[in-house]
């Protein structure tokens, strides 16, 4: 599985890169955009590009994505072409087949969302004016700049152990939340405004 990490705490970047490289992942994209850093890691033993950049616009996708009969990088290109603003997220989620996490940078905004069934997970940690977003819970937890402030939620830990999952947005860490399938994250790169937004997602329909 590929990985994605976004932060406005620039001290965390190299920590995450070092941690993922030790696991055998290779950075496929690294970019600094005004007030946020974005790092994507490709799947192990995979040569498929998991991002597409044209001018100042960017899309990164991890997981399995089929969009209008296109897959892999061609699917990403078409999603970016169809995306005008956050009002398009609902339709794009309805049209995609697969389990995925997608990041789109458009002008001065970043939008991040996952599949409606929430099978590809995305986590976020926000404290004061700093945020970390990642597709791997322990990438956020292992970061030495943040882990001292994390506390274990014993009830959630036990729920995860005995039922093999935790319902809702909760995780085993009180400070780290899980993005749900009817939510998306928006980040304004100028103001650093970080927001969890809600959408209604209908049954997937393929648009030709």
């Amino acid at each position: 599985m590929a990985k994605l990490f976004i932060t406005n705490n620039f001290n965390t970047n190299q920590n995450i890169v070092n941690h993922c490289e030790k696991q055998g992942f290779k950075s496929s994209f690294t970019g600094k955009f005004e007030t946020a850093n974005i790092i994507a890691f490709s799947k192990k033993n995979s040569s498929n590009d998991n991002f597409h950049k044209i001018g100042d616009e960017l899309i990164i996708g991890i997981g399995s994505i089929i969009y209008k009969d296109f897959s892999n990088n061609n699917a990403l290109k078409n999603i970016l072409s169809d995306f005008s603003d956050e009002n398009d997220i609902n339709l794009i989620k309805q049209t995609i087949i697969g389990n995925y996490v997608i990041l789109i940078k458009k002008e001065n905004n970043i939008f991040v969302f996952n599949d409606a069934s929430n099978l590809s997970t995305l986590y976020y940690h926000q404290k004061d004016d700093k945020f970390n977003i990642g597709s791997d819970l322990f990438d956020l937890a292992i970061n030495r700049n943040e882990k001292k402030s994390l506390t274990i939620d014993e009830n959630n830990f036990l729920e995860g152990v005995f039922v093999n999952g935790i319902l809702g947005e909760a995780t085993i860490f009180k400070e780290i939340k899980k993005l749900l399938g009817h939510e998306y994250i928006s980040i304004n790169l100028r103001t650093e405004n970080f927001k969890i937004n809600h959408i209604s997602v209908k049954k997937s329909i393929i648009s030709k």
Side-chain angles (χ1 to χ4, degrees), residues 5-183:
F5 184 77
I6 310 110
T7 183
N8 67 342
N9 187 346
F10 298 127
N11 292 327
T12 69
N13 269 31
Q14 196 57 48
N15 296 338
I16 294 298
V17 171
N18 292 342
H19 170 65
C20 291
E21 287 181 346
K22 286 180 181 178
Q23 294 179 312
F25 289 90
K26 183 178 180 181
S27 174
S28 59
F29 178 87
T30 302
K32 180 177 179 180
F33 298 95
E34 296 174 300
T35 55
N37 275 10
I38 300 171
I39 309 171
F41 297 89
S42 58
K43 293 180 181 179
K44 295 181 180 180
N45 302 319
S46 173
S47 59
N48 290 332
D49 290 335
N50 57 0
F51 74 95
H52 176 68
K53 189 175 185 296
I54 179 168
D56 292 331
E57 297 180 356
L58 170 71
I59 182 169
I60 297 172
I62 63 175
S64 59
I65 302 171
I66 299 175
Y67 183 78
K68 296 183 177 179
D69 295 330
F70 294 99
S71 60
N72 300 324
N73 193 260
N74 287 326
L76 298 180
K77 291 178 182 178
N78 280 271
I79 293 170
L80 185 60
S81 176
D82 288 347
F83 185 88
S84 297
D85 57 39
E86 59 192 298
N87 294 316
D88 295 325
I89 292 176
N90 190 14
L91 180 58
I92 287 172
K93 287 170 71 78
Q94 292 178 48
T95 307
I96 296 175
I97 296 176
N99 306 317
Y100 56 85
V101 171
I102 288 177
L103 174 149
I104 297 176
K105 178 192 176 293
K106 195 86 169 184
E107 296 179 346
N108 296 307
N109 296 285
I110 290 174
F111 306 98
V112 195
F113 55 93
N114 58 354
D115 56 272
S117 58
N118 207 39
L119 292 177
S120 288
T121 49
L122 189 67
Y123 304 93
Y124 59 92
H125 175 210
Q126 184 183 21
K127 182 179 180 182
D128 301 324
D129 60 345
K130 300 298 182 184
F131 61 80
N132 294 322
I133 307 166
S135 57
D136 188 313
L137 174 63
F138 293 100
D139 286 347
L140 272 63
I142 202 69
N143 172 27
R144 66 171 178 263
N145 292 311
E146 306 293 344
K147 65 183 180 181
K148 291 182 180 179
S149 65
L150 298 180
T151 50
I152 297 290
D153 187 311
E154 294 181 0
N155 290 331
N156 289 341
F157 179 81
L158 291 173
E159 181 181 346
V161 169
F162 288 107
V163 302
N164 197 31
I166 301 172
L167 294 177
E169 66 176 11
T171 71
I172 62 172
F173 301 103
K174 293 181 179 180
E175 297 81 5
I176 299 178
K177 304 298 182 183
K178 178 172 58 180
L179 190 75
L180 301 179
H182 63 273
E183 298 175 329

Side-chain angles (χ1 to χ4, degrees), residues 189-201:
L189 292 172
R190 287 184 174 174
T191 64
E192 295 186 80
N193 182 50
F194 175 99
K195 185 178 180 182
I196 305 298
N197 307 275
H198 297 263
I199 58 175
S200 72
V201 179

